[in-house]
Short mmCIF file of all heavy atoms in Angstrom, two decimals:
data_model
loop_
_atom_site.label_atom_id
_atom_site.label_comp_id
_atom_site.label_asym_id
_atom_site.label_seq_id
_atom_site.Cartn_x
_atom_site.Cartn_y
_atom_site.Cartn_z
N LEU A 159 -12.67 -72.87 -2.29
CA LEU A 159 -13.27 -73.46 -1.10
C LEU A 159 -13.75 -74.87 -1.41
O LEU A 159 -14.47 -75.09 -2.42
CB LEU A 159 -14.47 -72.56 -0.70
CG LEU A 159 -15.06 -72.71 0.69
CD1 LEU A 159 -13.99 -72.53 1.77
CD2 LEU A 159 -16.16 -71.65 0.86
N ASP A 160 -13.38 -75.81 -0.58
CA ASP A 160 -13.78 -77.21 -0.75
C ASP A 160 -15.30 -77.32 -0.58
O ASP A 160 -15.80 -76.98 0.50
CB ASP A 160 -13.05 -78.08 0.31
CG ASP A 160 -13.29 -79.54 0.17
OD1 ASP A 160 -14.28 -79.92 -0.52
OD2 ASP A 160 -12.53 -80.33 0.75
N PRO A 161 -16.04 -77.78 -1.57
CA PRO A 161 -17.51 -77.85 -1.42
C PRO A 161 -17.91 -78.84 -0.34
O PRO A 161 -19.08 -78.80 0.12
CB PRO A 161 -18.00 -78.34 -2.80
CG PRO A 161 -16.79 -78.84 -3.53
CD PRO A 161 -15.58 -78.21 -2.88
N GLU A 162 -17.00 -79.67 0.10
CA GLU A 162 -17.33 -80.62 1.19
C GLU A 162 -17.02 -80.04 2.57
O GLU A 162 -17.11 -80.73 3.58
CB GLU A 162 -16.58 -81.91 1.00
CG GLU A 162 -17.07 -82.69 -0.20
CD GLU A 162 -16.32 -83.99 -0.41
OE1 GLU A 162 -15.56 -84.38 0.48
OE2 GLU A 162 -16.51 -84.58 -1.48
N SER A 163 -16.65 -78.76 2.58
CA SER A 163 -16.33 -78.13 3.87
C SER A 163 -17.63 -77.82 4.61
O SER A 163 -18.59 -77.30 4.04
CB SER A 163 -15.55 -76.83 3.58
OG SER A 163 -15.07 -76.31 4.76
N SER A 164 -17.68 -78.12 5.90
CA SER A 164 -18.90 -77.90 6.67
C SER A 164 -19.15 -76.42 6.90
O SER A 164 -20.30 -76.00 7.09
CB SER A 164 -18.84 -78.63 8.02
OG SER A 164 -19.09 -80.00 7.83
N TYR A 165 -18.10 -75.62 6.97
CA TYR A 165 -18.22 -74.16 7.09
C TYR A 165 -16.88 -73.51 6.82
O TYR A 165 -15.85 -74.16 6.85
CB TYR A 165 -18.81 -73.74 8.45
CG TYR A 165 -17.99 -74.13 9.65
CD1 TYR A 165 -16.98 -73.32 10.16
CD2 TYR A 165 -18.20 -75.34 10.28
CE1 TYR A 165 -16.23 -73.69 11.28
CE2 TYR A 165 -17.46 -75.74 11.42
CZ TYR A 165 -16.48 -74.91 11.92
OH TYR A 165 -15.75 -75.28 12.99
N LEU A 166 -16.92 -72.19 6.58
CA LEU A 166 -15.69 -71.41 6.47
C LEU A 166 -15.66 -70.44 7.67
O LEU A 166 -16.62 -69.70 7.90
CB LEU A 166 -15.69 -70.59 5.19
CG LEU A 166 -14.56 -69.55 5.06
CD1 LEU A 166 -13.20 -70.20 4.94
CD2 LEU A 166 -14.81 -68.62 3.87
N HIS A 167 -14.55 -70.48 8.40
CA HIS A 167 -14.39 -69.60 9.58
C HIS A 167 -13.48 -68.43 9.25
O HIS A 167 -12.36 -68.64 8.78
CB HIS A 167 -13.80 -70.44 10.73
CG HIS A 167 -13.57 -69.71 12.04
ND1 HIS A 167 -14.13 -70.09 13.21
CD2 HIS A 167 -12.81 -68.65 12.32
CE1 HIS A 167 -13.77 -69.28 14.20
NE2 HIS A 167 -12.95 -68.36 13.68
N ILE A 168 -13.92 -67.23 9.51
CA ILE A 168 -13.06 -66.05 9.35
C ILE A 168 -13.12 -65.20 10.62
O ILE A 168 -14.06 -65.32 11.45
CB ILE A 168 -13.48 -65.16 8.15
CG1 ILE A 168 -14.87 -64.56 8.36
CG2 ILE A 168 -13.41 -65.93 6.84
CD1 ILE A 168 -15.23 -63.45 7.39
N VAL A 169 -12.12 -64.36 10.79
CA VAL A 169 -12.13 -63.36 11.89
C VAL A 169 -12.29 -61.98 11.21
O VAL A 169 -11.38 -61.56 10.50
CB VAL A 169 -10.84 -63.43 12.72
CG1 VAL A 169 -10.90 -62.40 13.86
CG2 VAL A 169 -10.64 -64.84 13.27
N SER A 170 -13.42 -61.37 11.42
CA SER A 170 -13.74 -60.17 10.59
C SER A 170 -12.85 -59.00 10.94
O SER A 170 -12.48 -58.23 10.05
CB SER A 170 -15.20 -59.81 10.74
OG SER A 170 -15.45 -59.32 12.05
N ASN A 171 -12.50 -58.85 12.21
CA ASN A 171 -11.58 -57.77 12.62
C ASN A 171 -10.53 -58.39 13.52
O ASN A 171 -10.85 -59.11 14.50
CB ASN A 171 -12.35 -56.70 13.39
CG ASN A 171 -11.46 -55.52 13.80
OD1 ASN A 171 -11.17 -54.66 12.99
ND2 ASN A 171 -10.98 -55.53 15.03
N ASN A 172 -9.29 -58.13 13.17
CA ASN A 172 -8.16 -58.79 13.86
C ASN A 172 -7.58 -57.84 14.90
O ASN A 172 -6.77 -56.96 14.59
CB ASN A 172 -7.15 -59.31 12.86
CG ASN A 172 -7.81 -60.40 12.00
OD1 ASN A 172 -7.85 -61.55 12.41
ND2 ASN A 172 -8.35 -60.01 10.87
N THR A 173 -7.97 -58.08 16.13
CA THR A 173 -7.74 -57.19 17.26
C THR A 173 -6.28 -56.90 17.49
O THR A 173 -5.88 -55.79 17.80
CB THR A 173 -8.33 -57.88 18.53
OG1 THR A 173 -9.52 -58.57 18.21
CG2 THR A 173 -8.62 -56.86 19.62
N LEU A 174 -5.42 -57.92 17.33
CA LEU A 174 -4.00 -57.76 17.62
C LEU A 174 -3.28 -57.04 16.47
O LEU A 174 -2.37 -56.25 16.69
CB LEU A 174 -3.32 -59.14 17.79
CG LEU A 174 -3.39 -59.81 19.14
CD1 LEU A 174 -4.80 -60.00 19.61
CD2 LEU A 174 -2.70 -61.16 19.07
N PHE A 175 -3.73 -57.33 15.24
CA PHE A 175 -2.95 -56.89 14.08
C PHE A 175 -3.53 -55.64 13.41
O PHE A 175 -2.93 -55.08 12.50
CB PHE A 175 -2.83 -58.02 13.05
CG PHE A 175 -2.08 -59.21 13.64
CD1 PHE A 175 -2.76 -60.23 14.29
CD2 PHE A 175 -0.70 -59.23 13.59
CE1 PHE A 175 -2.05 -61.30 14.85
CE2 PHE A 175 0.02 -60.31 14.16
CZ PHE A 175 -0.69 -61.33 14.80
#
Side-chain angles (χ1 to χ4, degrees):
L159 196 55
D160 184 343
E162 290 179 11
S163 189
S164 283
Y165 60 90
L166 170 68
H167 180 122
I168 64 168
V169 181
S170 68
N171 183 80
N172 295 278
T173 324
L174 276 56
F175 297 92

